[in-house]
Amino acid sequence: MEAGVEPPVCSDPREDWVRPPVSRPDFDARVEALLTRVYGSRVPRLDSVGTLYFDDQLVTISSAQIKLMELFVERFGEVVSRDELAERLNESAAPTRNSLDLHIMRLRRRLEGVNLAIRTAWGQGYVLEAPDA
């Protein structure tokens, strides 16, 4: 193949390809295909109006909790510290420990419908994950 030619569309999930020398568009297409193959829709997405998508399900998140959920989605599967979450809630005054706990409790309830959970990582923070993963 010649340089500058668009990479082929990957239609077979078992297909894996690269052309030497590897151009940036080829590399990006290969990475995208591999990520889709490995994760598929197993990574949550949050739109700008607060709808959370996971697998084939969706749930709406309150406007007060969108900031927290944005951080959880950005760091899906990783520990998010209480301090980072409190920073996201910080509007006019620092949130109290109880207000953050209340937001987490409400988010946990909302996420039950989309097979996601916020797990406590004791002494570290919280993790958004798929319980069956």
Side-chain angles (χ1 to χ4, degrees), residues 46 60-70 89 102-107 110:
L46 182 66
T60 56
I61 305 297
S62 75
S63 57
Q65 296 158 353
I66 288 174
K67 292 177 185 179
L68 296 178
M69 190 51 65
E70 286 172 341
L89 282 179
L102 183 62
H103 283 294
I104 296 296
M105 180 194 72
R106 288 179 178 161
L107 279 173
R110 298 293 298 156

Side-chain angles (χ1 to χ4, degrees), residues 9-16 37:
V9 175
C10 185
S11 59
D12 182 350
R14 298 166 299 209
E15 183 178 358
D16 188 21
R37 191 177 314 155

